[in-house]
Amino acid sequence: MDQKLQMLLDTVKKLIRRGAFPHLTKVIVKSHPADIAHIFRYLDLKDQRTLFNLIENPETAAYVLSELDHGTGAQLLEQIDKQTITEVLQEMPYDDAVDIIRNMPEELAEEILGIMQDEDSDEIEQLLLYDEDTAGGIMSTEIFSLNQDLTVQEAIEAVQQAGDVEMVFYLYVTDDDNHLVGVLSLRQLLTVSPARLLKDIMVREVISVRTDVDQEEVAQLVARYNILGIPVVDDANRLVGLVTVDDVIDVMRQEATEDIYKMAGASEEELLYGYKAFKIARLRLPWLVTNLFGGVITGYLMWRFKATLAEVLALITFIPVITGMGGNVGGQSATIVVRGFATGRIDMSTLRQVFFRELRVGMIMGAVCGLTIGVVAFGWHHNPYLGLVVGMAMATAMTVAATMGVMATSFFKRIGIDPAIASSPFVQTANDITGLLIYFGTATLFLPHLR
Amino acid sequence: MDQKLQMLLDTVKKLIRRGAFPHLTKVIVKSHPADIAHIFRYLDLKDQRTLFNLIENPETAAYVLSELDHGTGAQLLEQIDKQTITEVLQEMPYDDAVDIIRNMPEELAEEILGIMQDEDSDEIEQLLLYDEDTAGGIMSTEIFSLNQDLTVQEAIEAVQQAGDVEMVFYLYVTDDDNHLVGVLSLRQLLTVSPARLLKDIMVREVISVRTDVDQEEVAQLVARYNILGIPVVDDANRLVGLVTVDDVIDVMRQEATEDIYKMAGASEEELLYGYKAFKIARLRLPWLVTNLFGGVITGYLMWRFKATLAEVLALITFIPVITGMGGNVGGQSATIVVRGFATGRIDMSTLRQVFFRELRVGMIMGAVCGLTIGVVAFGWHHNPYLGLVVGMAMATAMTVAATMGVMATSFFKRIGIDPAIASSPFVQTANDITGLLIYFGTATLFLPHLR
C-alpha cells in the first residue's frame, strides 16, 4: 500500500474510533472512490458498515462496491439493508451489478431483483443468462453506437448529447437492424468534412467477439491487437455490448491468480470465503487427499524393497533427495507447459519441440546434480559403489521427471482436464514412483558391492 | 490458436514451400500485422527470415517485430542485415525499439545505434538509462500535450493536425515549463464553448507516476483507477512520457508469468533462450542445487535415527507421505501469500489474520489427513500404535507446515528477498525436517509398542 493510501486509512480509522462522522463524510467526498474501495479491505466488518453508510452519493457507493473483492463485498452486503443495496446496484453499470448479484446468496439476490425497477431487473436477468466466464458475462450493455447513414456533423452532435456512457473512444457504427458494420475514432470525426456520411469514412474491418467466447480468449484478442475495447455481437452479428480494457485487466489478473492457485491445489474461490477456515479446507482437501494416496503408494513400494533397505541402511538416506529432486524438475517442466498453454505461447503444434528441449535440459541438470550427489554419497559413506548408484539414479530420475512434466500436462490438456489442477499431484506421485524404481533397480544391480 | 489464424498459418507455410513470393506479399498486405506477428512463432527460423524479408512496409515490419517474444525477435534479428533492422527500429515507437535493443547482444545494439540518425539514437539512449522495470522503462515518449493557455478551438485544431501519436483519448495539459497541470478528455472539448481556456475547464487532479516507480505499481494504479493511460513525470513534475493500458497488460502478463515460474524455480528469462538447453539449465540449476542440499540434510536426519528405523522397518513406509503432505500444505499457504503480495490483496497489516487463517485451515486439513493415514497405517501393519504415531505426526506436521508457508514468505519479503524464488526451497526443506523430527519424536515416544 502506498503512503497516500496508508495516510487515508489511518485518518479513516481514527475518525471512526472517535465517532467524528461529519468530518469522515467530508473525507469521503474529497477522496477518489477507488481509494475508499482500496482501504475498505483493511477495516473490520463493523467499521466497513459504518464507513459505507456514511457514503451519501449512491454513485460513489456503487463505485466502491464494484471495486471490492467479491468476498469483502458479499460480507458487507449482509450488513446493509436491502433498500440501500438495491439503490446502489441501480446506480452501477449493469455488468458490475450482475457481478455482485452472482456472488450473493440466492435468496438475497431474488429479493433484490424483486425490489428493483422492472427495467433494471429485466436487463440484469438478461445478463445473468450468460455464462460468467464469457464475453456476454463480462460485457457492459450501455454501449454508444451510431447509424451508418448519419453525417459526421450529426455524429458529433450525438456525441455531445450522449450522457455518461462507457468511455467513448471508439464509435461503433450499425445499420438499421443494429448489425455491427464499422468503427470510427472520435478523433477521426474531427478531421473530415462535416457533411460526409459515416458509412463512407468508417473502418469496415471490426474486431468483435460473440457473446459465448471465453473471457480468456477475449483478453488475448485485446492484448494481441492492442485495442481499448472489443464489441460483443450476438449470433446474427447484432451489437449487444462492449468489453472494455479495464474488464480485460480484471480477467487477466483473475486467470493468472487462478492458475497459480490451482497448481498449488488451492482455488480462486477461496477468496470468496475470507477467513472461513472450514470452507477453505474443504476446497483444498480433495487435491491433498489425492496426493495422500500417491504418498501411500510410494510407501508401499518402499515396503516391497524392505529387504534391500534393511541390508544396506545407507540407501534410505538418499530417498528424500532423489524423489524430491524428481518432483522439482517435473514441477518445472509442468509449470512451463501449463503457463505456456495459458498465454498461448505453447500449443499442440510446438509441443514436440518443448518436449525435446525439456528432455535435454533435464539431462544436463540431471548430470550436474547426479555428479554432485554421487560425490556426497561417496564421501559420506566411503563406498564408491554407493556414490555410483545414487548418482546414476538421480540423473536418470531427473531426466525422466522432466519429460513426465511435459507429457502429463499435455495429456490432461488433450483429454479436457485442466492441467493446472491435475498435473501436480500426478507428476509428483509418478516421479516418486519412477524415482524409487530407478533407485532400487540400480541398487539391486550393485547390491553385492554395497553390503 | 483460433481457426482464422490456423488458416493464415497454413496458407503462409504452403506459399513459402512453393516459393510463391508475389502471392505471399499480397497475403501479408491484406493481413493484420498482429496476426502476422502471431503466426511467426510457429515458423522455423528459415521461414521466419523469408517471411520477414517480404514485408515491404517498414511500419508493418516494425509492428511485427514489436509484438514478437523477445526470444523469437532476437533470433530473427541475427538473420537480418543491420541496415534493415535500423530502418525498422526507426519506424517503431521509441519504447518498443528500446525494448528490442535491450534484448540484443551488446555489440549489435551499439552498431545499430551508430547507424541510426542522431535524433533517434539520442532519444533511445536516453530511454535506455531508465531501469527496465520502471515507469520510465515502459513509457512511450511520443506524448500529445496542450498548453493550458490555449482555447478550446485551438486545442481542437491541434488535435486535428496531430500526426500519429500514441492514442489520443486523454489530453494532458501543461504550463509553460512543461509541468503537468491538468487533463481533459477529447469528448469534453466538444461539449464546451470554443472560446474557453483549457486551464478553466481541465481537471486539475491528475493521477501520474514518477519515472522511477516500479512497473508493477504502475499496473496496479491503472487497474485500481480504471484509466486508459497514466502520464509519467520527472522529479520536477515535468511531463516526460505516457504509459498506456496496452503496456500495462503486457506488464501484468509478464509479472504473473514471472511469479509462476519463480515459484517452480524456473525463470522468465528462459523465454529469451528459446530451445538453448544449456542456457536454460544454467538458469534453473542454482535453485535445484539449493534444494539438493536441503534433501541431503533431510537424509542426514534419517541417518541419525537409523537405529529406530532398523528396529521398526514399517516406519519408513510413511516417510514419503508425511514429508510430501507437509510440503504440499506449506506450498499452498506460501502460494497464497506470494500471490497476495503481488496483487496487493495481502500486506503486512493483514498478515496476522492470514497467519491465523492458515493455521486453522492447516489444523482442519491435518486432522482429516491424519485420521485417514492413521487408519491406513493401522489396517496395513495391524498395529494400532503405529496408526496413532503416523496419524498424530501427519496432523502436527501439516499444521506446522501451513504456518511455515506464511512465516517464510513474509520473512523473505520483509528482508527484501523475493519470496516467490526463496520460499519454495526453504519451505520444502524446513517442512521435511520438522516433519521428520515430529515423526521420529512421536515414534520414539511409543517405541516399546511399535516393536
Side-chain angles (χ1 to χ4, degrees):
Chain A
M1 185 149 58
D2 58 40
Q3 231 177 337
K4 193 186 81 182
L5 289 174
Q6 189 63 54
M7 270 175 55
L8 180 63
L9 176 60
D10 293 343
T11 309
V12 166
K13 275 185 173 167
K14 203 176 58 191
L15 294 175
I16 292 178
R17 211 166 45 236
R18 288 199 200 145
F21 297 146
H23 194 158
L24 196 50
T25 310
K26 268 186 225 151
V27 170
I28 295 170
V29 171
K30 270 172 49 191
S31 304
H32 193 293
D35 294 340
I36 300 284
H38 192 81
I39 64 162
F40 240 83
R41 63 178 93 150
Y42 302 105
L43 299 174
D44 61 30
L45 205 55
K46 205 169 124 274
D47 289 354
Q48 284 184 347
R49 192 183 47 191
T50 310
L51 187 59
F52 191 82
N53 282 326
L54 284 171
I55 301 176
E56 286 171 350
N57 183 349
E59 212 173 320
T60 309
Y63 194 107
V64 168
L65 211 52
S66 67
E67 289 295 310
L68 286 177
D69 296 337
H70 294 155
T72 318
Q75 283 185 324
L76 180 62
L77 286 179
E78 287 172 22
Q79 303 281 317
I80 313 265
D81 74 286
K82 295 177 189 71
Q83 196 58 49
T84 312
I85 300 176
T86 313
E87 273 166 35
V88 173
L89 287 177
Q90 286 182 320
E91 278 299 323
M92 300 172 74
Y94 290 127
D95 56 327
D96 290 337
V98 167
D99 231 30
I100 290 171
I101 289 173
R102 264 191 223 277
N103 287 296
M104 279 179 186
E106 209 164 317
E107 317 86 74
L108 182 61
E110 272 168 28
E111 210 168 329
I112 282 174
L113 285 171
I115 306 177
M116 271 192 188
Q117 288 157 14
D118 278 351
E119 185 198 337
D120 288 335
S121 64
D122 284 356
E123 189 79 39
I124 285 173
E125 276 164 11
Q126 191 66 39
L127 281 176
L128 281 170
L129 295 178
Y130 295 113
D131 189 332
E132 192 174 1
D133 297 333
T134 62
I138 58 171
M139 71 184 181
S140 90
T141 48
E142 289 107 311
I143 178 171
F144 183 77
S145 65
L146 297 163
N147 190 289
Q148 60 176 348
D149 295 319
L150 293 183
T151 64
V152 168
Q153 181 59 39
E154 288 166 329
I156 291 178
E157 279 161 20
V159 171
Q160 286 167 341
Q161 277 150 27
D164 197 20
V165 290
E166 283 254 359
M167 300 169 269
V168 192
F169 32 81
Y170 297 129
L171 304 170
Y172 297 104
V173 185
T174 51
D175 66 11
D176 293 340
D177 297 323
N178 199 31
H179 294 117
L180 178 64
V181 291
V183 65
L184 282 168
S185 77
L186 190 47
R187 187 169 156 271
Q188 225 177 323
L189 278 189
L190 294 176
T191 55
V192 295
S193 144
R196 296 191 66 180
L197 294 179
L198 296 190
K199 67 176 161 198
D200 298 328
I201 59 163
M202 70 190 182
V203 175
R204 284 172 189 278
E205 297 272 304
V206 195
I207 295 161
S208 67
V209 288
R210 269 186 20 179
T211 50
D212 57 355
V213 170
D214 188 86
Q215 62 173 3
E216 197 162 352
E217 200 178 314
V218 176
Q220 286 184 7
L221 283 173
V222 170
R224 188 188 312 149
Y225 296 109
N226 287 340
I227 46 184
L228 297 174
I230 196 160
V232 184
V233 294
D234 66 10
D235 294 351
N237 195 36
R238 278 184 301 251
L239 184 64
V240 292
L242 172 68
V243 175
T244 51
V245 74
D246 58 306
D247 303 320
V248 166
I249 286 181
D250 293 342
V251 168
M252 297 193 96
R253 182 175 278 194
Q254 185 193 334
E255 300 268 349
T257 302
E258 226 173 71
D259 273 357
I260 295 179
Y261 275 27
K262 275 184 202 157
M263 293 200 71
S267 146
E268 241 245 328
E269 264 183 84
E270 287 190 10
L271 301 175
L272 279 178
Y273 294 132
Y275 296 102
K276 292 175 186 161
F278 270 99
K279 292 202 166 178
I280 292 174
R282 210 159 61 191
L283 286 174
R284 292 190 203 165
L285 269 170
W287 185 88
L288 282 177
V289 171
T290 314
N291 275 318
L292 186 73
F293 282 98
V296 171
I297 295 172
T298 313
Y300 175 72
L301 202 66
M302 285 167 71
W303 188 242
R304 301 282 306 200
F305 284 92
K306 63 177 183 293
T308 313
L309 286 176
E311 217 171 334
V312 190
L313 212 57
L315 281 176
I316 64 161
T317 52
F318 296 99
I319 290 176
V321 79
I322 285 176
T323 55
M325 292 302 281
N328 287 332
V329 173
Q332 289 180 332
S333 51
T335 300
I336 280 163
V337 177
V338 166
R339 189 63 191 156
F341 281 138
T343 58
R345 211 184 283 280
I346 295 177
D347 68 3
M348 289 301 171
S349 69
T350 44
L351 207 55
R352 235 179 84 93
Q353 286 172 281
V354 174
F355 176 85
F356 284 109
R357 180 190 64 191
E358 290 300 318
L359 175 65
R360 288 196 304 275
V361 173
M363 282 169 64
I364 296 166
M365 299 192 305
V368 174
C369 292
L371 198 68
T372 312
I373 198 74
V375 170
V376 169
F378 172 43
W380 181 357
H381 296 285
H382 308 294
N383 182 339
Y385 288 101
L386 184 69
L388 192 69
V389 166
V390 173
M392 273 172 53
M394 172 74 90
T396 318
M398 281 174 70
T399 308
V400 172
T403 60
M404 192 91 79
V406 180
M407 288 192 301
T409 40
S410 48
F411 170 74
F412 286 123
K413 174 89 178 175
R414 207 180 278 263
I415 61 171
I417 295 179
D418 186 343
I421 299 181
S423 66
S424 177
F426 181 83
V427 168
Q428 191 174 320
T429 305
N431 282 331
D432 281 355
I433 292 171
T434 52
L436 281 181
L437 283 178
I438 291 165
Y439 186 37
F440 290 138
T442 327
T444 310
L445 219 64
F446 287 90
L447 201 57
H449 303 286
L450 294 175
R451 284 194 189 112
Chain B
M1 185 148 58
D2 56 40
Q3 229 177 338
K4 193 186 81 181
L5 288 175
Q6 189 63 55
M7 270 176 54
L8 181 62
L9 176 60
D10 293 343
T11 309
V12 166
K13 276 185 172 167
K14 201 177 60 192
L15 293 175
I16 291 178
R17 211 167 45 235
R18 288 200 200 142
F21 296 146
H23 194 157
L24 197 50
T25 310
K26 267 186 225 149
V27 171
I28 296 170
V29 171
K30 271 172 48 192
S31 304
H32 194 292
D35 294 340
I36 299 285
H38 192 79
I39 63 162
F40 240 83
R41 62 179 93 153
Y42 301 105
L43 298 174
D44 61 30
L45 205 54
K46 204 169 124 275
D47 288 354
Q48 285 185 346
R49 193 183 49 193
T50 310
L51 187 60
F52 191 83
N53 282 327
L54 285 172
I55 301 176
E56 286 171 351
N57 183 349
E59 213 172 320
T60 309
Y63 195 107
V64 169
L65 211 52
S66 67
E67 289 295 310
L68 286 177
D69 296 338
H70 294 156
T72 318
Q75 282 185 325
L76 180 63
L77 285 179
E78 287 172 21
Q79 304 280 318
I80 313 265
D81 75 286
K82 294 174 190 74
Q83 197 59 47
T84 312
I85 300 177
T86 313
E87 272 168 37
V88 172
L89 288 177
Q90 285 182 321
E91 279 299 323
M92 301 172 78
Y94 290 128
D95 56 327
D96 290 335
V98 166
D99 232 30
I100 290 172
I101 289 175
R102 264 191 224 276
N103 287 298
M104 279 180 186
E106 210 164 316
E107 317 87 72
L108 181 61
E110 273 169 28
E111 211 169 327
I112 282 173
L113 285 172
I115 306 176
M116 271 191 188
Q117 287 157 16
D118 277 352
E119 186 198 334
D120 286 336
S121 64
D122 284 356
E123 190 79 39
I124 285 173
E125 276 165 12
Q126 191 67 40
L127 281 176
L128 281 170
L129 295 177
Y130 295 112
D131 188 333
E132 193 175 358
D133 297 332
T134 62
I138 57 172
M139 70 185 181
S140 88
T141 49
E142 289 108 311
I143 177 171
F144 183 76
S145 65
L146 297 163
N147 190 288
Q148 61 176 345
D149 295 319
L150 293 182
T151 64
V152 167
Q153 181 58 41
E154 288 167 328
I156 291 177
E157 281 161 19
V159 171
Q160 287 168 340
Q161 279 150 27
D164 196 20
V165 291
E166 282 255 359
M167 299 168 270
V168 192
F169 33 82
Y170 297 130
L171 304 169
Y172 297 104
V173 185
T174 52
D175 66 11
D176 294 338
D177 298 322
N178 199 32
H179 294 115
L180 179 65
V181 292
V183 65
L184 282 169
S185 76
L186 191 48
R187 184 167 160 270
Q188 225 177 322
L189 279 188
L190 294 177
T191 55
V192 295
S193 142
R196 295 190 68 179
L197 294 178
L198 296 190
K199 68 177 161 197
D200 297 329
I201 59 165
M202 69 190 183
V203 176
R204 283 170 189 278
E205 297 272 305
V206 195
I207 295 162
S208 66
V209 288
R210 269 188 18 179
T211 49
D212 58 355
V213 170
D214 188 86
Q215 62 174 3
E216 197 163 351
E217 202 177 312
V218 176
Q220 285 183 8
L221 284 172
V222 170
R224 189 189 312 149
Y225 296 110
N226 287 342
I227 44 184
L228 297 174
I230 195 161
V232 184
V233 295
D234 66 10
D235 294 352
N237 195 35
R238 281 184 298 252
L239 183 63
V240 293
L242 173 67
V243 175
T244 50
V245 75
D246 58 308
D247 303 321
V248 166
I249 286 181
D250 293 342
V251 168
M252 296 192 94
R253 181 176 279 195
Q254 184 193 333
E255 299 269 347
T257 303
E258 224 173 73
D259 273 357
I260 295 179
Y261 275 28
K262 275 183 200 158
M263 292 200 72
S267 146
E268 240 245 329
E269 265 183 83
E270 286 190 11
L271 301 177
L272 279 177
Y273 295 132
Y275 296 102
K276 294 175 185 160
F278 270 99
K279 293 203 165 177
I280 292 174
R282 209 158 64 193
L283 286 173
R284 293 189 202 166
L285 269 169
W287 186 87
L288 282 177
V289 171
T290 314
N291 276 318
L292 186 73
F293 281 99
V296 172
I297 295 172
T298 313
Y300 176 72
L301 201 66
M302 286 168 70
W303 188 242
R304 301 282 305 199
F305 284 92
K306 62 177 183 294
T308 313
L309 287 176
E311 217 169 333
V312 191
L313 212 57
L315 280 176
I316 65 161
T317 52
F318 296 99
I319 290 177
V321 79
I322 286 177
T323 55
M325 293 302 281
N328 287 332
V329 173
Q332 289 179 332
S333 52
T335 300
I336 279 159
V337 177
V338 166
R339 188 63 191 157
F341 281 139
T343 57
R345 212 184 281 280
I346 296 177
D347 69 3
M348 289 302 170
S349 67
T350 43
L351 206 55
R352 236 179 83 92
Q353 285 172 282
V354 174
F355 175 86
F356 284 109
R357 180 191 62 192
E358 291 299 319
L359 175 64
R360 288 196 306 275
V361 173
M363 282 169 63
I364 296 164
M365 298 191 306
V368 173
C369 293
L371 199 67
T372 312
I373 197 74
V375 170
V376 169
F378 171 44
W380 181 358
H381 297 285
H382 306 295
N383 182 340
Y385 288 101
L386 185 70
L388 192 68
V389 166
V390 173
M392 273 172 53
M394 172 75 88
T396 318
M398 281 175 70
T399 309
V400 171
T403 61
M404 192 91 79
V406 181
M407 287 193 301
T409 38
S410 49
F411 170 74
F412 285 122
K413 174 89 179 176
R414 206 180 279 264
I415 62 171
I417 295 178
D418 186 343
I421 298 181
S423 65
S424 177
F426 182 84
V427 168
Q428 190 175 323
T429 305
N431 282 332
D432 281 356
I433 292 171
T434 52
L436 280 181
L437 284 177
I438 292 165
Y439 187 37
F440 290 138
T442 327
T444 310
L445 218 64
F446 288 90
L447 199 56
H449 304 286
L450 295 176
R451 284 193 189 110

